[in-house]
Amino acid sequence: MSDSIAVEVRNLRVAYPDTIALDNVNFELPHPSIMVVMGPNGAGKTTLLKAIMGLIHIQNGSIKVFGIDVFEHPDKIRRMIGYVPQREKVSEHIPIRTRDVVLLAKLVRSGPLTIPTRRDIEEIKEILDAVSLPRDTWNKRFSELSGGQKQKALIARALVLKPKLLLLDEPFSGVDAPSQHEIMEILSDLRKKGISTILVTHDINPIIEYVDYMLLLNRKAIAYGRPNEVLTEENLTKAYGMKIKLIVHGEVCYAITGDYHA
């Protein structure tokens, strides 16, 4: 198993009956790193995350996570990955408490009849501390938390399984700027502990200082590399199909896309 490369995608093609979702996508993500996937609606961003988890059929190509083929060893892969879905896909109508949102991940892994031990409870509380979620949220209903707190709870749930790779789908939807920075600080600390992250976002500008690599996607990989290499007017125009303005400040590029749902 290779520990130097978190994810290796080669010639990836995914097609549905009525459309091609991904076509000839290639990239290699060093470990540990933080990578952003950005592109317009329908670009295949969520499809890419699902493919990395081995949850969808691919027509062509290969995906390896830490040197292990995703489709040959799906159980091994899923033990190494923590997934945080788009928050709007997590039902908030069920009156579930924050502690249970996080604890359920551990119980599902251990078995449906497992009773949490005192050590399990302490471990969950330690994880809540690690994601800067106040312990007074422990007994609060998930639906009562702020947008940033909900996202931290979902990250905590993913961390319960002790992954080497985190996949986050639109983690900043409905999250204010200070909370975005708090979450990126958490991901930065996790990177130091040997956990890589791939996250989908519509706007890299607020978090660009934390990002190691960027994939600009619109079914095809428009560009992949360091953010200052990827963020060019030519690449952004190819991805979004319209002229994009760039503001350069020092070595950092800021893209003015006007796209808040990509």
Side-chain angles (χ1 to χ4, degrees), residues 224-241:
Y224 175 70
R226 299 289 187 177
N228 63 341
E229 300 168 343
V230 172
L231 288 173
T232 68
E233 290 188 3
E234 180 182 0
N235 288 338
L236 290 166
T237 299
K238 283 182 183 178
Y240 289 94

Side-chain angles (χ1 to χ4, degrees), residues 57-241:
H57 174 74
I58 67 172
Q59 277 195 331
N60 188 54
S62 66
I63 306 173
K64 292 181 180 180
V65 174
F66 297 106
I68 299 174
D69 188 282
V70 165
F71 299 100
E72 290 181 4
H73 303 283
D75 291 339
K76 283 185 180 179
I77 296 302
R78 288 166 198 166
R79 283 195 292 269
M80 290 191 289
I81 293 178
Y83 176 54
V84 181
Q86 294 180 29
R87 207 175 70 242
E88 56 264 32
K89 295 184 179 178
V90 178
S91 176
E92 297 184 13
H93 301 296
I94 302 171
I96 189 170
R97 299 190 184 277
T98 305
R99 64 186 185 194
D100 298 318
V101 168
V102 182
L103 191 58
L104 277 173
K106 192 169 189 68
L107 299 184
V108 167
R109 175 65 60 84
S110 303
L113 300 179
T114 303
I115 297 174
T117 64
R118 179 175 294 180
R119 178 58 195 149
D120 290 334
I121 299 299
E122 284 306 310
E123 186 177 330
I124 298 304
K125 288 183 177 180
E126 289 168 7
I127 292 172
L128 293 182
D129 290 341
V131 299
S132 303
L133 199 60
R135 289 200 178 187
D136 63 7
T137 61
W138 176 253
N139 287 314
K140 282 187 178 180
R141 291 186 177 182
F142 182 74
S143 59
E144 295 174 348
L145 303 184
S146 69
Q149 288 176 332
K150 288 174 182 174
Q151 203 59 54
K152 290 176 183 178
L154 294 177
I155 292 172
R157 183 178 67 174
L159 291 176
V160 165
L161 304 179
K162 299 179 179 178
K164 292 181 67 176
L165 174 65
L166 276 178
L167 304 180
L168 283 66
D169 197 354
E170 293 283 9
F172 302 129
S173 177
V175 175
D176 60 25
S179 295
Q180 289 184 34
H181 281 279
E182 287 178 11
I183 290 169
M184 291 308 301
E185 285 289 342
I186 292 165
L187 298 180
S188 182
D189 287 341
L190 292 173
R191 176 176 52 194
K192 295 174 186 175
K193 296 174 182 177
I195 298 175
S196 286
T197 299
I198 298 177
L199 66 93
V200 169
T201 186
H202 66 264
D203 185 6
I204 194 175
N205 293 337
I207 63 170
I208 193 167
E209 63 190 281
Y210 298 95
V211 176
D212 300 305
Y213 296 93
M214 178 180 180
L215 174 65
L216 191 57
L217 188 67
N218 192 349
R219 302 188 183 181
K220 295 178 180 289
I222 306 301
Y224 175 70
R226 299 289 187 177
N228 63 341
E229 300 168 343
V230 172
L231 288 173
T232 68
E233 290 188 3
E234 180 182 0
N235 288 338
L236 290 166
T237 299
K238 283 182 183 178
Y240 289 94

